[in-house]
Amino acid sequence: MVHDWLPTIGGAERVVMELISAFPNSELYTLFDFLTDEERRMVTGGRPVHVSGLNKLPGVAKYYRYLLLQCSRAIENFDVMAYDAVISSSAALAKGVLTAPGQPHIAYVHSPARYAWDLTHDYINSLSNQLSRHLAQRMMHKFRIWDMRTVAQVDQFVANSNFIRDRIWKAYRREAEVIYPPVDISAFVPGEGPREEYYFTASRMVPYKRIEMIAAAFRERPKLRLMIAGDGPEMARVRAAAGPNVTLLGHVTFEALRSHMQKARAFVFAAREDFGIVPVEAQAAGCPVIALGSGGTAETIRDLSMDRPTGAWFETQTVESLLSAIDKLEANYEVVTPENCRDNALRFSAERFRSEIRDCVARVSG
């Protein structure tokens, strides 16, 4: 297994966890490992972890994301030639590992590097001065050349959604099989009794999650209650956008998160995600979801226009569009049942993931 880096345990690291569970004799190579011993055991089950020399740089946890070109060289320094097969878990770099002729390389791609491809201008324009923008342009140009060269090293691309499959084709002109990432469905079960009269959302408060927009939308519907769990750099903006009908909970425990998903009238999710694990967890708890009808949530949420709906889509990331979806769900609330939500979430179980990735590796390996 080759994974970009291990800064914390997030969605990509949970994919690695299930990959190692599917192939328990594997070893893990990664550029950086900042996990605690307990977290590392959780991810790897005690299997060996090999890190790059960059991991020894002083204070590297604060700036490792800026070492893009150094990382492209470091990933090529990993010697994995002796293994029967290689699976890379890549959002930027891991698919660039060098493999031998006849050695299958399956690249599970969370996304082609957004800052180098479709969001490169957004990233560069966000920098504070002309010199930084000039250096970033040069770095991204060099990285794109390297990134394209590594495509030939991959025998089979696997995308985590149809949305990412299309992005892989756009960036690399390679077809990809879709295997949805694993979600711990067993940790979320529907609650007992009727749902309560409030809406719920949970997220790290960063701009692309659009929590400020959700808060502003509910300010326009003062008779509806909203609870927001999470914290982050956008907290002040969210607080300013919220009306008296919006409660900011800050960071909550896993047990509190699950309880709100079991009790809330609906879960609201406004980000354009590559996949989006949290809306699937909400459905596993029997909770209807209001989500953007593009990106990964267009694949994981069944809109009111479909058979056995699990929620409602909105078309654009605007207050008006979100309010329209809330109104549609309220007018058709009874057709979105906890059973529909739970059954739909089961499509994304960890057991299904392990089975599909084993089948894929077997096919590619011949």
Side-chain angles (χ1 to χ4, degrees):
M1 306 297 172
V2 184
H3 181 58
D4 290 339
W5 41 55
L6 295 170
T8 185
I9 297 181
E13 288 68 41
R14 294 186 187 280
V15 168
V16 172
M17 191 185 308
E18 294 301 335
L19 286 171
I20 292 175
S21 179
F23 302 96
N25 292 325
S26 56
E27 299 187 10
L28 179 62
Y29 289 75
T30 189
L31 292 164
F32 303 101
D33 177 7
F34 307 136
L35 301 182
T36 65
D37 291 342
E38 182 179 354
E39 290 171 333
R40 190 176 303 106
R41 282 193 297 271
M42 185 186 305
V43 172
T44 69
R47 297 299 300 164
V49 179
H50 307 272
V51 296
S52 74
L54 297 175
N55 199 64
K56 298 178 180 178
L57 293 174
V60 71
K62 297 178 181 179
Y63 58 85
Y64 70 98
R65 292 181 182 274
Y66 299 102
L67 302 177
L68 196 58
L69 298 183
Q70 294 90 333
C71 286
S72 66
R73 292 189 290 270
I75 206 77
E76 294 177 347
N77 286 336
F78 286 141
D79 183 359
V80 299
M81 301 291 183
Y83 296 92
D84 295 329
V86 174
I87 303 175
S88 57
S89 164
S90 182
L93 293 144
K95 71 172 179 48
V97 66
L98 301 179
T99 52
Q103 183 185 40
H105 176 188
I106 297 92
Y108 190 90
V109 177
H110 305 280
S111 174
R114 288 191 175 279
Y115 43 76
W117 294 102
D118 54 316
L119 295 183
T120 189
H121 297 296
D122 292 343
Y123 166 69
I124 291 170
N125 291 334
S126 71
L127 299 176
S128 58
N129 59 72
Q130 185 62 38
L131 178 60
S132 297
R133 290 191 289 272
H134 175 71
L135 292 174
Q137 285 174 334
R138 293 190 54 160
M139 180 175 68
M140 289 307 166
H141 176 70
K142 291 180 178 180
F143 177 78
R144 279 190 294 271
I145 293 171
W146 176 87
D147 196 32
M148 281 302 301
R149 184 179 60 74
T150 66
V151 170
Q153 282 284 317
V154 176
D155 296 291
Q156 175 67 56
F157 276 95
V158 179
N160 68 357
S161 65
N162 289 301
F163 180 58
I164 294 303
R165 180 193 62 187
D166 293 343
R167 294 190 64 245
I168 290 170
W169 173 256
K170 179 67 175 180
Y172 304 142
R173 285 301 191 258
R174 288 284 299 274
E175 294 287 353
E177 178 179 347
V178 175
I179 298 179
Y180 291 114
V183 181
D184 188 4
I185 302 300
S186 63
F188 295 85
V189 295
E192 298 179 0
R195 292 192 165 269
E196 299 183 13
E197 293 299 316
Y198 68 89
Y199 289 76
F200 179 58
T201 189
S203 173
R204 176 164 167 74
M205 293 189 187
V206 292
Y208 88 95
K209 295 290 189 178
R210 307 305 294 270
I211 304 300
E212 179 188 3
M213 186 200 77
I214 296 174
F218 275 83
R219 187 176 58 197
E220 299 296 316
R221 292 286 190 276
K223 293 184 179 180
L224 300 179
R225 292 174 56 214
L226 172 69
M227 292 191 180
I228 302 176
D231 204 345
E234 290 282 290
M235 174 62 91
R237 294 173 63 89
V238 173
R239 184 176 289 110
N245 59 327
V246 176
T247 301
L248 300 177
L249 301 172
H251 175 74
V252 300
T253 64
F254 170 77
E255 290 74 17
L257 174 75
R258 180 174 56 191
S259 177
H260 282 301
M261 288 179 173
Q262 292 171 330
K263 296 176 182 178
R265 187 165 179 81
F267 185 83
V268 186
F269 192 80
R272 180 177 284 104
E273 291 278 16
D274 302 331
F275 175 74
I277 289 177
V278 179
V280 177
E281 294 173 338
Q283 289 175 92
C287 187
V289 178
I290 299 170
L292 192 67
S294 65
T297 46
E299 301 174 46
T300 62
I301 312 299
R302 296 182 61 81
D303 183 55
L304 288 166
S305 61
M306 301 176 176
D307 293 334
R308 305 191 69 198
T310 64
W313 292 344
F314 54 97
E315 296 180 0
T316 60
Q317 292 173 308
T318 62
V319 166
E320 295 75 19
S321 187
L322 175 54
L323 289 175
S324 177
I326 293 171
D327 294 341
K328 284 190 296 183
L329 181 64
E330 288 292 338
N332 300 276
Y333 192 80
E334 298 305 319
V335 304
V336 182
T337 66
E339 293 77 17
N340 286 355
C341 294
R342 176 73 182 177
D343 288 347
N344 188 54
L346 290 173
R347 296 192 294 130
F348 309 102
S349 69
E351 294 79 9
R352 180 269 326 160
F353 173 83
R354 291 194 296 268
S355 175
E356 292 182 2
I357 198 68
R358 287 192 196 104
D359 288 346
C360 175
V361 172
R363 288 196 310 273
V364 176
S365 300

